[in-house]
Structure formats: structure tokens, C-alpha cells
Amino acid sequence: MDRSVSVLIIAGVVVLIMLALTWGWTRRKSRQTEVAAPAKPHLGITPIADPVEGSYVSTTTAGNPLDRVAIHGLGIRTTGELVVTDGGVIMDLAGREDFLIPRADIVSVDTTSGMIGKFVERGGIVRITWRLGETLVDTGFRARYAADTAPTVNRIREMIVEAP
């Protein structure tokens, strides 16, 4: 077989794979149109701890670590900071719109070793379970420094206990 034919076949396969991925992502987003947009951080909320640097892992439907929420940009991994405030948890994300997990919507917080596409050591990802409109979701955040994980979980857990 001629070399140029091989290159064309490989290029065609790559294009087909890219089209399939785009089609799948678009279908996932269209199935999730009922998922509400997350709240945006607003003035008047005060940080109660220093920001925690790290990586936003993803948001998935609660209890389904492989079912990514694709709509509203929630399924895209990026670097950023998690900020615990008196009004909830702010995800301050690089290159994306920040969002707020309102204090009243937080159901629980714990750690996990994996969420869609990101698997780390035991307890390496902070997982916040919260209500996004009518949908219960899990949001994952991986602190850059492991020493920040437990204090972050404890601050969020205290916020849940103190909630009215």
C-alpha cells in the first residue's frame, strides 16, 4: 500500500473519532437541558478561609462518578481555587465562569479516590454533594497540596452543621 493512502486512512479514522466525540458530547448536553445553571458568586459573601489551590475535577450526578454533567461547563476539568465562604463554596476556575455552591444546597462533603477521568490516592478528591436545582450532583476538587484536603472538608462540614 502506498504511504499516502495509509496517511489518508489514518487521518480519516482520526476525523471520524473526533466527530463521534463531538456528537456524544452534544447529545449528553441535550439530555441535560433540565439541569439548572449554577449560581454565580455575588457581592456580600465573605471568605472564612484562605483559598485552596488545585484542580476542579468535574461535576457528576450524585452517586454516579462516571456520569459527567456536561451542560453549563460543569464537565470541563480545569485548574482553580476552592473558596469556603459564609454563603457557600465558590469554585474560582481558570478560563471559565466561577460558580457558587450555596450553603443551603450542600447535602454532604467527603473525600473520594476517583471521579470521571481522574483517579488518585485514597481520599485525594474533595467531593461535595449538593442540590443543583432539582438535580443532586457531586462536585470534585483536588487540592494541590494534600495537607489542604482534610481542613477543607472540615470547614465545609462545619458549614453544613451550622446551616439554619
Side-chain angles (χ1 to χ4, degrees):
M1 185 180 309
D2 187 57
R3 184 179 186 124
S4 60
V5 172
S6 299
V7 169
L8 286 174
I9 290 172
I10 291 171
V13 168
V14 169
V15 167
L16 286 174
I17 290 171
M18 295 303 288
L19 287 172
L21 289 171
T22 302
W23 178 76
W25 191 255
T26 303
R27 296 238 332 137
R28 177 177 292 274
K29 285 173 75 172
S30 69
R31 283 193 316 266
Q32 296 175 344
T33 55
E34 76 284 349
V35 176
K40 304 294 178 224
H42 55 279
L43 295 176
I45 54 177
T46 307
I48 59 174
D50 291 334
V52 177
E53 295 180 29
S55 301
Y56 167 75
V57 177
S58 186
T59 296
T60 63
T61 56
N64 297 306
L66 300 178
D67 185 23
R68 187 186 310 253
V69 175
I71 199 160
H72 310 301
L74 294 172
I76 301 169
R77 188 178 341 186
T78 186
T79 59
E81 295 180 335
L82 181 150
V83 185
V84 179
T85 71
D86 58 357
V89 178
I90 295 175
M91 291 291 172
D92 184 3
L93 306 176
R96 294 209 7 245
E97 282 193 43
D98 305 341
F99 68 92
L100 172 69
I101 301 173
R103 179 181 195 161
D105 292 340
I106 299 174
V107 174
S108 67
V109 61
D110 61 0
T111 59
T112 185
S113 61
M115 289 180 82
I116 187 118
K118 181 80 168 177
F119 293 90
V120 297
E121 77 281 354
R122 176 192 232 153
I125 296 174
V126 175
R127 176 176 53 197
I128 304 169
T129 302
W130 58 292
R131 287 185 247 19
L132 178 57
E134 298 296 318
T135 307
L136 199 60
V137 296
D138 290 332
T139 293
F141 185 84
R142 167 112 165 125
R144 176 172 287 166
Y145 304 105
D148 290 335
T149 302
T152 301
V153 169
N154 291 335
R155 280 187 202 99
I156 297 169
R157 197 169 278 145
E158 288 169 7
M159 184 172 38
I160 297 169
V161 172
E162 295 171 4

